[in-house]
Amino acid sequence: MAYDNQNIFAKIIRGEIPCHKIYEDDKTLSFMDIMPMATGHALVIPKCEAVELSDMPADYLQAVFSTAQKVMQAQRQVLNTEGIVQMQLNNAQAGQSVFHYHVHLIPTHVHEIGKHEDKTANHEELAKLAEQIRQVIV
Ligand code: 5GP
């Protein structure tokens, strides 16, 4: 599938629409999922044009997972759970809805997990969680 640079995450990378940022470096960005499956649901994306796993350059894959490790350690501290679901969907047939590669990190106990994109979260709560996770990221 061809990459469309008007997708919502490309706009977030360019700063055209806001996000509740957790972490950023030269190759990656992490922010709160706006329709969380559980409290503290975060996303990690690469700053390169990739729709899905098969498009990902190896150096960006390494960078995304390095960032994901930082974020999950911080989530564990803030959300007080060891359980983190790591999820990544490839193609609409697998349920992918935003066509810029992204890894979901969902702190949860398996019985608590909600339906994907059930409802939009409270922005104050998202901002507070992003700030708490940002503070403890190493
Ligand atoms: P996918 O279904 O593609 O694996 O996941 C896309 C995710 O992006 C969903 O969990 C959805 O809640 C999230 N999402 C969609 N639009 C936005 C947005 O504008 N901002 C943020 N922060 N997350 C979004």
Side-chain angles (χ1 to χ4, degrees), residues 62-74:
Q62 187 176 18
V64 162
F65 282 95
S66 174
T67 296
Q69 287 179 325
K70 291 178 197 286
V71 172
M72 75 179 282
Q73 283 165 9

Side-chain angles (χ1 to χ4, degrees), residues 18 23 33 43 46 64-65 80 87 89 97 113 126 129:
Y23 178 84
D33 192 298
L43 301 169
V64 162
F65 282 95
N80 205 24
M87 183 176 84
L89 307 177
S97 61
I113 204 153
L126 286 183
L129 281 163

Side-chain angles (χ1 to χ4, degrees), residues 29-122:
L29 176 66
S30 178
F31 51 94
M32 304 307 293
D33 192 298
I34 206 170
M35 291 170 271
M37 292 170 73
T39 302
H41 183 165
L43 301 169
V44 182
I45 67 174
K47 293 181 181 175
C48 68
E49 296 193 351
V51 174
E52 55 150 68
L53 180 60
S54 63
D55 305 316
M56 281 290 285
D59 55 339
Y60 279 90
L61 269 180
Q62 187 176 18
V64 162
F65 282 95
S66 174
T67 296
Q69 287 179 325
K70 291 178 197 286
V71 172
M72 75 179 282
Q73 283 165 9
Q75 285 172 311
R76 281 183 165 154
Q77 287 186 54
V78 170
L79 279 306
N80 205 24
T81 178
E82 290 296 303
I84 310 282
V85 173
Q86 174 193 320
M87 183 176 84
Q88 189 262 309
L89 307 177
N90 297 289
N91 194 279
Q93 289 184 358
Q96 185 176 4
S97 61
V98 177
F99 298 100
H100 180 108
Y101 179 86
H102 52 280
V103 173
H104 297 257
L105 293 172
I106 310 163
T108 191
H109 297 98
V110 74
H111 63 277
E112 292 170 345
I113 204 153
K115 189 173 165 293
H116 199 193
E117 299 181 24
D118 221 6
K119 60 180 192 298
T120 301
N122 177 293

